[in-house]
Amino acid sequence: MHIKWIKTFVVTAKFENFRKASEELFLTQPAVTKHIQRLEENLNTQLFERIGTKVILTPAGHKFYSYARELLMKYEEGMEEFESWKQGYHRKLVIATAPQIASSFLPSLVRHFIDEHPTIEVMINILKSYDIGEEISSGNADIGLSRLLPIQTNIKADIVHQEPAILVGPNRCNLDEQSAIHQYRVITHNHPDYWDDLLNDIKKYYPTVKTMKVNQIEVTKRFIEEGLGISYLPFTMIKDELATKQLLEIKADQITLPKSYTYVLTKVESDEVLVFINFLKNALSRL
C-alpha cells in the first residue's frame, strides 16, 4: 500500500470529485482513478460509490477515512521531522507574529537567536494580531508575538516591550501638531490596539480633522512619504525613516501620545519557548 494512494483517497473524499482531487494533487483524472482502484484492490473493499461525476464514501470508505487521515498526518509529520534532523535541528520553535513586529525588530532578533541556538529550527507564521491568540490556543504555534491582548483564556500573555507611538509626517512637513492636523489627513487604524481611543482624543481637540483608514503600517509609511497624510506610528517601526529624514517627527501638543505594547503569548512553556522568551526580553531591553 503506497502513501500516495492514501493521500489521493483523502483528497478525493474531501472534494467528493475526481476532477477537483486531480487539480489539488496535480495529477490527471485517470491517475486519481488508478490510485483509488489500487487502494480498493489492496483493501479488498469498495471505498466510493460513483454517481455521475460525483463520488461518495461507502460505509467502508467512511470507516477507513479516519484511519487514512491519521496515517497521512503521521507520515507528513515524520518526514518533516526527519528532514529537520538531516539539517541538524534537534528542536522546533513555531512563532506566530503580527506583520508590524515581523517587519521591524524580529528579523535581526531571529538571526541572532539562530546564531546562538543553531539546533533549534525556527518557523515564522505571519498573522493578524486578532488571529494569533487562536493560533497559540489551538497549539499550532509555540509562541505568539502580538500588539493586541488575546481574548482566549487558556493562554498566558505578558508585556515584553512598550514604546511610544509618535506623530510623523512627510519630510517637507515642518509644522506643529495643530497646523499638521489641519493641513493633512490623519491616517488611522494601522495598529490593532490604540486607534479608537486616540481618534476620540484627536476629534476632541480638532473636530474638523480629516481621516483615512489604512490597515498596514508599511503602506502607511509610503503614503506619508508621498504627502498623503500624517499618522501616529510605533517608534521602532519608523526609526530608520526618521534617521534618514524620509519622515519627520511632529512634536505633540494637545494629544497624549499612545503607547504600543508587544505581548508574548504562550500556552505550554517548553525549554525552547523559555530560551526564546529570555532571549527576546534581553534583546528588547536594548532597543
Side-chain angles (χ1 to χ4, degrees), residues 3-287:
I3 194 68
K4 62 183 178 182
W5 301 348
I6 303 292
K7 185 171 184 177
T8 300
F9 167 73
V10 170
V11 173
T12 303
K14 180 177 72 172
F15 290 113
E16 294 186 330
N17 184 286
F18 280 0
R19 179 183 60 80
K20 290 182 179 179
S22 68
E23 292 173 355
E24 177 82 4
L25 294 164
F26 300 101
L27 296 172
T28 63
Q29 288 190 52
V32 170
T33 301
K34 187 174 183 179
H35 286 183
I36 298 301
Q37 289 174 343
R38 291 286 180 87
L39 183 60
E40 289 178 328
E41 291 170 2
N42 195 270
L43 294 172
N44 195 29
T45 190
Q46 185 178 351
L47 299 173
F48 291 105
E49 291 182 15
R50 281 74 168 175
I51 305 175
T53 59
K54 187 176 181 181
V55 292
I56 60 173
L57 288 169
T58 64
H62 276 289
K63 184 68 174 177
F64 184 68
Y65 182 60
S66 60
Y67 300 139
R69 286 184 62 188
E70 184 175 357
L71 179 63
L72 185 61
M73 181 182 68
K74 292 293 186 184
Y75 170 80
E76 290 177 346
E77 287 179 353
M79 291 305 296
E80 185 177 308
E81 289 180 7
F82 180 64
E83 186 61 31
S84 294
W85 177 82
K86 287 198 299 180
Q87 295 180 40
Y89 298 122
H90 300 158
R91 294 175 290 174
K92 181 170 69 175
L93 186 68
V94 181
I95 302 172
T97 181
Q100 304 98 321
I101 297 171
S103 61
S104 56
F105 63 80
L106 189 61
S108 175
L109 186 145
V110 169
R111 178 171 60 84
H112 287 100
F113 180 79
I114 290 173
D115 288 343
E116 291 190 17
H117 303 278
T119 63
I120 298 179
E121 180 182 16
V122 178
M123 304 178 70
I124 307 292
N125 292 336
I126 310 299
L127 300 170
K128 293 180 179 179
S129 285
Y130 302 100
D131 298 327
I132 293 175
E134 180 57 34
E135 195 78 352
I136 302 300
S137 178
S138 62
N140 292 326
D142 303 303
I143 292 176
L145 297 176
S146 174
R147 290 280 166 87
L148 188 68
L149 274 173
I151 60 173
Q152 290 77 12
T153 58
N154 65 331
I155 61 179
K156 181 182 176 183
D158 291 320
I159 296 173
V160 289
H161 184 63
Q162 69 177 52
E163 60 183 310
I166 63 176
L167 180 60
V168 292
N171 61 5
R172 54 186 173 273
C173 171
N174 190 16
L175 302 172
D176 57 26
E177 176 189 275
Q178 181 178 355
S179 300
I181 291 178
H182 283 157
Q183 181 172 330
Y184 290 95
R185 288 180 175 84
V186 176
I187 301 176
T188 67
H189 291 86
N190 39 45
H191 190 284
D193 191 26
Y194 56 66
W195 268 107
D196 289 340
D197 291 338
L198 175 58
L199 198 51
N200 286 335
D201 197 25
I202 294 171
K203 288 179 178 179
K204 181 173 67 175
Y205 292 102
Y206 307 106
T208 61
V209 63
K210 292 181 179 180
T211 63
M212 177 170 57
K213 288 185 178 181
V214 176
N215 64 3
Q216 289 283 339
I217 285 182
E218 290 300 319
V219 176
T220 298
K221 291 193 290 186
R222 301 290 80 81
F223 275 35
I224 295 173
E225 289 175 11
E226 290 296 325
L228 288 169
I230 58 177
S231 192
Y232 292 83
L233 300 176
F235 176 73
T236 55
M237 295 296 303
I238 53 175
K239 64 179 183 179
D240 291 341
E241 288 82 1
L242 290 174
T244 58
K245 300 192 182 303
Q246 292 171 267
L247 301 177
L248 293 182
E249 180 178 1
I250 301 168
K251 295 299 182 181
D253 182 16
Q254 299 288 346
I255 307 302
T256 301
L257 294 179
K259 283 186 169 55
S260 173
Y261 297 95
T262 299
Y263 301 94
V264 60
L265 314 181
T266 56
K267 184 178 180 181
V268 178
E269 294 188 337
S270 62
D271 289 344
E272 52 267 33
V273 166
L274 292 174
V275 166
F276 183 83
I277 291 174
N278 288 332
F279 186 90
L280 173 68
K281 289 179 177 178
N282 289 333
L284 292 180
S285 68
R286 297 191 294 270
L287 289 179

